[in-house]
Amino acid sequence: METMRLNDVTANDLPWKIKYDASRCTMCGSCVATCSFKAIVPKVERRRMVFSEGNFPEPKARFSAVPVIRQTKSVRDYCRGCGMCEKVCPNDAIKPERNPDTRHPIITRCLGGDSIKRGGRKNLEGSTRTLDTIRVGRISQMTDPSLDAQRHTFDLLAPFGRILPPKKLPFTPDADQQLVTQELTPPVNWVYPVIIGDMSIGALSWRMWEGVAMAVAYLNEECGMPVRMCSGEGGVPVRLLKSKYLKYMILQIASGHFGWNRIANAMPHMVEDPAGILIKIGQGAKPGDGGLLMAQKVAEHIQAIRGVPKADLLSPPNHQGLYSIEESVQKMFLSFNSAFKFRVPVAIKVAASATSVSVFNNLVRDPYNIVGGFFLDGIDGGTGAAHEVSLDHTGHPIVSKLRDCYLAAVTQGRQGQIPLWAAGGLGKTGDLAADAFKMIALGANGVFTGKLILQMAGCIGNDLGRCNACNTGLCPAGITTQEPQLAHRLDPEKVAQNIVNYYLAMDQELKKLMAPIGNSSLPVGRSDALVSTDHAVADRLQIQHVC
Ligand code: SF4
Ligand code: SF4
């Protein structure tokens, strides 16, 4: 008998157990070849068979070597439950099963002496989502007529840029009573109210990024929907910077300033202005933390775009020279405004936190009208890589924080001047139109989304610990990897098609929600349209309670 080694890792210590039926397996090898995590391996098992051939029992033993598939028992190469092996097995011989007895969080820390890192989004079991307790309750059928969602013309446009109140517009009538402008007004782009959130070309595979960019171009040029995509921190390929498609891109700058050398060098060659600049101060999934791109994902083209060697790329938690967000933002706004000659709106993205309303308040009161948008990202936002402890335990839900910002602006009579954009777990149930509509009625001008875009492309990760290995560079779906053989699992054209179709469906659904409340433009702040079945939610958000 072997000595029992108490600290050896067994399948029962891991988050997923592989269920394997040797009697169905033909040893084709597809599952092992598919598993990017090396979580299953072919093995040979020694089997003993006892048989008796004569008329009377005369047991004999025969030994044979049987090839089988076995789960790797390692805290490094462990099964993520991605289900790719199940997908490729022609005989339904293998599948992962969630292990409720897992000791993985403990043994990983004990054996590694390092914090756990992963991608995805918050994995702690949530209670009912706030947005799911809210319904669109004010249907205007009797008092004023609902609209026809199929035939009415709707205006689904949201501002990206500072909106001046009428009294501040520098217009004066000339001798012919025509309005003339005396001075520059802040640039504003009117865009589709669902922006594709900031996912960098390092976090995403080049094929995924290409698919998203193709979808955006198609939505704009063939469907007439002015959808914009944010580059994320990490630069943009020079070919795109010099192309006419730049007008659909929002360029992001974050604390690492990755990729901006190339952007600055490409400026004289740009034939179009970008749709906007987004200064990222923080991210809802891991507030207080900078970006993180693990070395295994820093492929050659990423090194070229970012101008870095192959190494872990950690962005600092703060922008350099930061004394206050307001001061730093002001400096950066001025730089960008002058770089793009005041033609490109500049907005800021912060993580929802106990203090984000104060920051918003200060920006709303800024007399120079430099801030062209306030992007607020909540705790349920996704990320390509983070320390698990930050992902699970830091952050702020988006709904009440967005509402607080809107009501703070209302109190000052300045709502709408700095457009509010919200994100963080929106579309988590698969229905982004409903979440977007509710956030808009609570005061957002629009929303942005990232993780849902990955799911449209085929990401199989979820909030219950499935996959979430985006940080490893081994994405089994080819979405967040730079390994050529994995990236080639993804068909960029299929990605583009899925995103376009989702947007077309969502567009119809948004209209289906706007029509009954009688709005042909976005119902920003129309919280009278909402009711909540939860007393505490209704009180907190100042909407009607129903039961
Ligand atoms: S479920 Fe995914 S990670 Fe687990 S063995 Fe199968 S392919 Fe590998
Ligand atoms: S499928 Fe890829 S993108 Fe989705 S959770 Fe897994 S590693 Fe991340």
Side-chain angles (χ1 to χ4, degrees):
M1 193 176 120
E2 282 194 54
T3 317
M4 189 184 69
R5 289 187 296 252
L6 190 62
N7 287 315
D8 278 2
V9 177
T10 66
N12 204 33
D13 293 323
L14 301 174
W16 296 85
K17 280 186 181 176
I18 288 297
K19 289 281 157 218
Y20 170 68
D21 182 349
S23 67
R24 300 186 70 91
C25 175
T26 54
M27 289 309 286
C28 68
S30 304
C31 56
V32 174
T34 302
C35 180
S36 53
F37 303 105
K38 299 193 176 60
I40 42 175
V41 283
K43 284 235 159 115
V44 174
E45 277 183 2
R46 190 162 181 253
R47 299 262 173 88
R48 176 172 175 259
M49 197 172 90
V50 178
F51 64 98
S52 175
E53 286 171 332
N55 290 338
F56 297 99
E58 197 181 342
K60 288 182 199 154
R62 187 160 54 208
F63 290 89
S64 57
V66 181
V68 289
I69 306 295
R70 281 285 166 261
Q71 180 167 4
T72 315
K73 289 156 192 130
S74 146
V75 287
R76 197 175 53 109
D77 303 322
Y78 64 96
C79 172
R80 315 288 177 133
C82 72
M84 291 295 162
C85 48
E86 186 180 2
K87 229 177 236 216
V88 296
C89 176
N91 299 325
D92 294 334
I94 193 165
K95 65 174 181 186
E97 267 185 13
R98 192 181 295 281
N99 175 18
D101 296 324
T102 178
R103 294 175 63 238
H104 193 246
I106 300 166
I107 55 175
T108 309
R109 289 175 171 109
C110 290
L111 294 177
D114 195 6
S115 74
I116 298 176
K117 297 171 198 72
R118 65 170 174 81
R121 52 189 178 200
K122 187 174 80 76
N123 266 1
L124 293 183
E125 291 274 340
S127 47
T128 314
R129 294 186 329 145
T130 304
L131 287 177
D132 294 335
T133 70
I134 298 176
R135 297 282 179 277
V136 181
R138 186 191 188 281
I139 308 299
S140 40
Q141 230 158 358
M142 300 307 287
T143 46
D144 37 0
S146 302
L147 303 172
D148 181 338
Q150 306 296 332
R151 283 171 283 262
H152 193 82
T153 308
F154 291 86
D155 176 21
L156 274 81
L157 290 173
F160 188 115
R162 183 65 172 245
I163 304 289
L164 291 184
K167 282 190 186 152
K168 284 203 172 169
L169 285 171
F171 292 138
T172 41
D174 64 9
D176 303 325
Q177 293 304 302
Q178 298 294 313
L179 288 179
V180 288
T181 327
Q182 300 300 316
E183 55 192 73
L184 274 181
T185 51
V188 182
N189 286 327
W190 287 84
V191 302
Y192 197 76
V194 183
I195 288 177
I196 297 184
D198 28 338
M199 296 178 287
S200 76
I201 199 168
L204 299 185
S205 69
W206 71 97
R207 287 171 76 84
M208 177 64 191
W209 219 75
E210 190 185 336
V212 180
M214 266 198 276
V216 170
Y218 191 90
L219 284 165
N220 277 276
E221 303 200 351
E222 298 296 326
C223 309
M225 292 165 70
V227 176
R228 297 294 178 263
M229 157 185 181
C230 180
S231 68
E233 177 184 23
V236 178
V238 170
R239 201 154 46 100
L240 180 54
L241 288 170
K242 294 181 182 171
S243 81
K244 64 174 183 162
Y245 300 107
L246 183 63
K247 60 180 181 246
Y248 305 139
M249 299 288 310
I250 295 166
L251 300 179
Q252 180 171 93
I253 183 162
S255 54
H257 296 189
F258 289 122
W260 272 85
N261 197 16
R262 277 193 160 202
I263 295 177
N265 287 338
M267 271 179 196
H269 310 287
M270 288 179 183
V271 290
E272 292 280 355
D273 286 330
I277 305 290
L278 187 60
I279 302 170
K280 179 185 134 189
I281 301 288
Q283 188 177 344
K286 45 174 180 175
D289 237 348
L292 173 59
L293 189 70
M294 307 302 279
Q296 51 268 40
K297 291 177 74 172
V298 187
E300 265 177 37
H301 66 284
I302 309 297
Q303 294 169 35
I305 292 174
R306 297 192 180 200
V308 292
K310 189 169 181 69
D312 284 351
L313 301 182
L314 287 95
S315 303
N318 282 332
H319 287 259
Q320 288 122 8
L322 178 92
Y323 296 106
S324 70
I325 290 185
E326 296 80 350
E327 184 196 341
S328 145
V329 163
Q330 200 155 20
K331 281 183 193 158
M332 291 170 76
F333 270 80
L334 291 175
S335 322
F336 281 114
N337 278 330
S338 44
F340 287 100
K341 302 200 169 38
F342 295 86
R343 293 190 308 259
V344 178
V346 186
I348 174 182
K349 175 183 168 186
V350 300
S353 83
T355 56
S356 47
V357 181
S358 320
V359 175
F360 178 68
N361 263 332
N362 288 349
L363 297 175
V364 164
R365 284 196 286 263
D366 130 57
Y368 305 107
N369 307 314
I370 52 173
V371 181
F374 195 70
F375 283 61
L376 199 55
D377 192 17
I379 188 170
D380 274 350
T383 178
H387 292 259
E388 186 169 81
V389 71
S390 317
L391 210 46
D392 283 351
H393 298 282
T394 62
H396 217 293
I398 185 63
V399 183
S400 62
K401 203 44 54 175
L402 176 276
R403 184 76 174 139
D404 289 350
C405 286
Y406 178 73
L407 291 177
V410 169
T411 308
Q412 300 167 59
R414 293 173 185 257
Q415 69 272 28
Q417 293 183 18
I418 295 186
L420 279 164
W421 290 80
L426 304 182
K428 210 171 176 178
T429 57
D431 184 355
L432 183 55
D435 287 357
F437 181 89
K438 291 171 191 176
M439 292 305 283
I440 289 170
L442 288 168
N445 291 83
V447 300
F448 53 110
T449 181
K451 188 91 182 17
L452 188 64
I453 302 289
L454 304 193
Q455 285 167 327
M456 291 173 204
C459 163
I460 40 71
N462 68 19
D463 294 352
L464 300 171
R466 191 176 186 210
C467 199
N468 293 331
C470 328
N471 59 315
T472 61
L474 298 173
C475 171
I479 296 170
T480 56
T481 177
Q482 306 302 340
E483 292 291 331
Q485 64 275 37
L486 292 175
H488 275 95
R489 290 183 183 177
L490 198 69
D491 176 355
E493 289 192 15
K494 186 70 190 142
V495 170
Q497 192 181 346
N498 285 357
I499 297 174
V500 167
N501 284 344
Y502 192 97
Y503 263 80
L504 293 176
M506 179 174 64
D507 193 60
Q508 280 181 29
E509 287 165 351
L510 277 170
K511 290 171 186 166
K512 261 325 245 185
L513 291 171
M514 288 161 69
I517 67 162
N519 259 59
S520 53
S521 60
L522 292 174
V524 179
R526 271 210 56 194
S527 53
D528 65 311
L530 303 179
V531 297
S532 176
T533 50
D534 183 303
H535 216 305
V537 168
D539 271 2
R540 180 70 181 79
L541 301 178
Q542 299 182 29
I543 59 177
Q544 204 182 117
H545 173 239
V546 291
C547 56

